[in-house]
Amino acid sequence: MIGKRDKMKIGNVEITGYAALAPMAGVADRAFRELCVDFGAGYVIGEMVSAKGITYNSEKSFELLELSQKERPAAVQLFGYEPDVMARAAVLAMKYSPDIIDINMGCPAPKIAGNGSGSALMKSPQLCGEIVKAVSEAVDVPVTVKMRKGWDSNSVNAVEVAKICEQAGAKAVTIHGRTRAQQYNPPADRNIIREVKKAVNIPVIGNGDINTAQDAADMYEQTGCDFVMVGRGALGNPWIFREINSLLGFDRPSLPVSSAERISILIRHIQTLCEYRGESTGMREARKHAAWYFKGMRDAASLRRKAGTLEKFDDLIELCKLIEI
């Protein structure tokens, strides 16, 4: 148990609490980020954005860069493999006033890694450094990196890449304890996070398999990391941040979330999502979120099937009325 502590600093940015929300594509949008902040997330990172898309003035890319004052401190995350393009994109991204620029070196998706971006960068440590240097010199906010353990079991090089990134100007690194080849299985390796923490002098954020407050406590204890990052563990479960802060900060114990509260949070979440994205787009996005919220509830399988047909916000309200509280 780590208890009360000073704020973590990434460069000149102060971060409170004990956990951050990961930059999950298609999930960590503005509505979800704001909700997680309300529940105690100390730091959030937006969905990854193509550096090339930004430099090509892609409207969709610019939409992903939008940040609100309700979700600070917040970072935008860029992906790409060309240092000059990454630097130009970072400058353009500054129009949205991010507190931090994060560089994606961990995404395992074929369409990202397949073109040399994301986790494919782990195969080129020197290029990683060149990208960090270019971006750091282009903007006046801290630059951070989110990476994996390595590309595969034959190239576990997170320590090497982290040291290179630090030397190039990175102010913090987040380590996901799996290689690209491992995707999201088997369990994340916390030993590699501990090794990176020992090797660098900048904050290290531990990522992977944080599904409960106790998982976060174990990550801190086993790795010595400076912060933890929650990804899939927050899906349909944004109150995990409240639970982590309660357990680690010795605050008032966090009471279990009741079914009624779960449904109330779901409705609030989707209502905000529809406000930001419009009802048509918002409700398409709502289908997966509702399915995550229903996990573990009575008749969850049936509820998830019905969630897959949601088209209007009123459809969600009517579905929730059928749930036994």
Side-chain angles (χ1 to χ4, degrees):
M1 203 70 68
I2 62 175
K4 296 288 187 181
R5 60 172 190 174
D6 294 333
K7 297 177 180 178
M8 181 182 74
K9 293 191 72 173
I10 294 179
N12 60 352
V13 179
E14 288 191 345
I15 298 174
T16 59
Y18 295 85
L21 175 67
M24 295 175 284
V27 177
D29 57 18
R30 179 180 169 188
F32 190 57
R33 295 194 304 265
E34 290 181 357
L35 183 61
C36 289
V37 168
D38 282 348
F39 276 105
Y43 169 49
V44 297
I45 306 177
E47 302 170 78
M48 65 179 181
V49 188
S50 166
K52 192 163 288 187
I54 294 171
T55 60
Y56 287 170
N57 293 315
S58 162
E59 184 176 338
K60 182 177 180 181
S61 294
F62 285 126
E63 287 177 0
L64 291 173
L65 292 172
E66 293 180 1
L67 298 171
S68 73
Q69 290 306 310
K70 297 179 181 179
E71 51 179 315
R72 304 289 179 165
V76 296
Q77 188 188 68
L78 308 180
F79 74 87
Y81 59 91
E82 300 162 295
D84 60 328
V85 175
M86 291 287 281
R88 282 189 282 127
V91 171
L92 292 170
M94 288 305 299
K95 295 179 181 178
Y96 297 86
S97 302
D99 300 294
I100 292 168
I101 299 283
D102 190 60
I103 298 172
N104 186 310
M105 297 184 184
C107 180
K111 67 178 181 179
I112 304 298
N115 71 1
S117 302
S119 57
L121 290 171
M122 299 298 292
K123 296 189 288 186
S124 306
Q126 294 307 315
L127 177 57
C128 293
E130 291 170 13
I131 290 172
V132 171
K133 185 174 188 294
V135 175
S136 296
E137 291 177 349
V139 298
D140 58 4
V141 298
V143 173
T144 60
V145 173
K146 188 173 190 293
M147 67 178 71
R148 282 191 168 240
K149 178 179 175 177
W151 176 255
D152 57 27
S153 59
N154 295 316
S155 57
V156 175
N157 61 350
V159 170
E160 176 191 4
V161 174
K163 291 170 71 172
I164 288 173
C165 289
E166 178 184 26
Q167 292 167 3
K171 299 304 182 185
V173 292
T174 298
I175 311 297
H176 182 109
R178 296 184 180 93
T179 64
R180 190 270 180 177
Q182 291 175 316
Q183 296 282 322
Y184 295 100
N185 284 298
D189 177 9
R190 290 176 177 167
N191 289 330
I192 192 67
I193 299 171
R194 184 174 65 249
E195 290 175 18
V196 171
K197 174 59 184 171
K198 292 179 179 179
V200 299
N201 296 307
I202 54 178
V204 173
I205 302 172
N207 177 225
D209 296 340
I210 307 295
N211 298 309
T212 67
Q214 188 58 52
D215 290 336
D218 292 343
M219 175 71 83
Y220 274 111
E221 182 178 354
Q222 295 168 15
T223 69
C225 65
D226 299 281
F227 217 63
V228 300
M229 182 170 286
V230 182
R232 291 173 297 161
L235 302 180
N237 184 32
W239 49 87
I240 189 174
F241 296 100
R242 180 175 69 188
E243 295 171 345
I244 290 172
N245 291 342
S246 176
L247 178 62
L248 295 178
F250 299 148
D251 289 335
R252 179 172 57 83
S254 176
L255 297 176
V257 174
S258 67
S259 294
E261 185 178 7
R262 181 186 295 242
I263 296 306
S264 175
I265 295 166
L266 164 61
I267 291 173
R268 171 189 165 195
H269 179 177
I270 304 309
Q271 185 173 31
T272 304
L273 180 58
C274 289
E275 288 174 2
Y276 290 157
R277 304 290 298 277
E279 185 175 42
S280 179
T281 300
M283 290 312 297
R284 284 198 300 273
E285 293 293 314
R287 295 169 185 171
K288 60 190 175 189
H289 285 289
W292 288 321
Y293 278 98
F294 292 148
K295 184 178 179 181
M297 298 183 70
R298 176 182 289 186
D299 297 325
S302 175
L303 290 171
R304 288 197 296 269
R305 284 195 299 272
K306 292 173 182 176
T309 67
L310 295 172
E311 294 185 358
K312 298 181 179 180
F313 183 69
D314 285 345
D315 295 339
L316 175 65
I317 300 299
E318 291 304 311
L319 177 57
C320 289
K321 288 179 180 178
L322 301 177
I323 298 173
E324 294 184 27
I325 303 300

